[in-house]
Structures are given as C-alpha cells and as structure tokens.
Amino acid sequence: MSEFESEVSPDLPAAAATRKRPKPGERRVQILQALATMLEQPGAERITTSALAARLDVSEAALYRHFASKAQMFEGLIEFIEQTVFTLVNQITERETDPGVRTRKLVMMLLQFAEKNPGMTRVMAGDALVFENERLQERMNQFFDKLETSLKQSLREGAASEGAAMPTVQAQVQASVIVAFMMGRLQRYSRSGFKRLPSEHLDTSLGMLLG
C-alpha cells in the first residue's frame, strides 16, 4: 500500500514519529500501523475503536475523520497485504523461469511475509475478522483465490513440461492442496500465539507437497 511506504517490502514499516500536526495522510498511516500492532497481542481478535483511539492518544472522533468505519480500517490492512504480496508474486513470476522453483518461492514468500507480520497474519487467517463485516472475509477469500490462480499457472507449466497426461487437472488439485497448506500454517501461527512459525520444516513439507 503506497501509504505505508513507496518501496515494497514484506515487513510492515515502523510506526511514524508522532507530530502535533501530522502531514496529510500520515495520521491514516499511524492508525493502520497501530491496528496492526494491536493485532499482534494475545487475545486481540476483537479490537474496539475506543482501545485503538486510546493507543494513539486521540479521540474516537479523530479516527472517524480518516476512516468511515472500523471495517474500512481493516480494508486498509487488507489492501496493504494484497499490494505487497502480489507485487512480490509478479516479481517472482517474472524472474524465475523454472516452474518448480517458482512455485516454491511463491509459497515461501507468503509464509515469510506472515511470519514477519504477525498482526497481518491474524487478518489473513481470518481470526481478526470473525466479529467484523463479512465483506472483509470475502475479500480475503478472493486474495487466496487469486494466489491459487498464480500457483495453478506455475504448476500447470511444470506438469506440462514433465509430460503429464492432464496437466491442467493436476495443477488445479496441487494448487488447491498448497493453498490449504498455507492457510493451515497461518491459522496455526495465529492461534498458537505466534509460537508455531509458518516456516517450520518448510523445505521438507514442500518436498512432500511438490514431489
């Protein structure tokens, strides 16, 4: 998301220094950073706007000058996830010609992003969205559908090069299994209080998934 930083990075940028009069758009960024940080805390599945305002030392009215609703704040986080991850997906797709290596890198990138951004993991895993507007979960579902499509393209190319009888079908099944694996890793990371890392035994796991 351009509001966070101009250079895409799998890390959420550090909170901007507080100023008496934030620059245009800066307070909006601070709100999203504070929300992401609060989501990293145990038991933070449901965050109130009053708690968020208290963390920022502003009134709830000040929050609503920048966001129409709490759902819109979560949409800001989802937008950051989408733009960061799919920019990296495009970079990997363009740079890596070997479909097998490309698939591994795509999976590793998503799990590493989650590992470095625990608050974002709660959003991706859906834990932070349970009590929020259902359109937020629908948008995350679309995120994983799009990621599955990227994996499917890479897997189909690999299956075709290996002479598979039905490369498209094989790729569809494999992509579905890999996305389910990634979502499971995100949920375990979130629900273990960020103790069970998404990258745990990743090379071995990918070896079993991809052959």
Side-chain angles (χ1 to χ4, degrees):
M1 187 169 73
S2 60
E3 293 165 314
F4 277 90
E5 61 177 7
S6 57
E7 182 179 353
V8 175
S9 165
D11 297 309
L12 184 66
T18 303
R19 296 182 178 87
K20 291 182 180 179
R21 292 184 179 181
K23 295 178 180 179
E26 186 177 272
R27 177 63 77 188
R28 181 182 172 90
V29 174
Q30 290 174 342
I31 292 169
L32 295 179
Q33 289 168 335
L35 177 57
T37 300
M38 291 177 74
L39 286 169
E40 296 179 10
Q41 306 307 312
E45 285 78 7
R46 190 171 193 178
I47 294 175
T48 63
T49 52
S50 61
L52 180 58
R55 184 179 184 89
L56 289 162
D57 196 24
V58 300
S59 66
E60 286 187 71
L63 298 181
Y64 290 117
R65 282 197 291 271
H66 301 278
F67 294 94
S69 64
K70 188 169 65 166
Q72 197 176 84
M73 298 177 200
F74 275 103
E75 284 180 326
L77 294 183
I78 293 173
E79 182 181 341
F80 173 77
I81 293 168
E82 290 171 338
Q83 292 195 5
T84 302
V85 169
F86 287 114
T87 295
L88 294 172
V89 165
N90 290 337
Q91 290 176 358
I92 292 169
T93 301
E94 291 171 2
R95 295 174 183 174
E96 186 53 64
T97 57
D98 184 288
V101 174
R102 187 191 312 141
T103 301
R104 284 176 174 268
K105 286 188 175 181
L106 290 173
V107 176
M108 291 172 67
M109 175 274 294
L110 188 280
L111 296 182
Q112 287 169 355
F113 171 83
E115 194 167 305
K116 293 178 179 180
N117 295 285
M120 298 297 188
T121 300
R122 284 199 192 278
V123 176
M124 290 190 288
D127 294 346
L129 306 178
V130 173
F131 302 104
E132 307 302 331
N133 191 298
E134 64 180 20
R135 77 171 184 271
L136 297 172
Q137 186 58 64
E138 290 173 1
R139 187 163 174 179
M140 281 314 311
N141 291 343
Q142 291 170 0
F143 167 86
F144 283 105
D145 287 344
K146 186 175 179 181
L147 187 61
E148 184 171 332
T149 296
S150 296
L151 288 166
K152 194 184 304 177
Q153 292 170 347
S154 183
L155 290 163
R156 182 171 59 241
E157 184 181 332
S161 67
E162 293 171 0
M166 301 173 64
T168 299
V169 174
Q170 180 176 315
Q172 288 175 337
V173 173
Q174 269 193 301
S176 176
V177 171
I178 291 170
V179 169
F181 164 77
M182 291 193 293
M183 293 176 71
R185 283 294 177 101
L186 298 183
Q187 290 174 348
R188 188 181 68 173
Y189 184 44
S190 175
R191 296 171 192 179
S192 68
F194 309 118
K195 293 182 177 67
R196 298 294 299 276
L197 300 180
S199 60
E200 182 180 279
H201 307 305
L202 186 54
D203 285 340
T204 303
S205 300
L206 289 176
M208 296 175 68
L209 282 172
L210 300 174

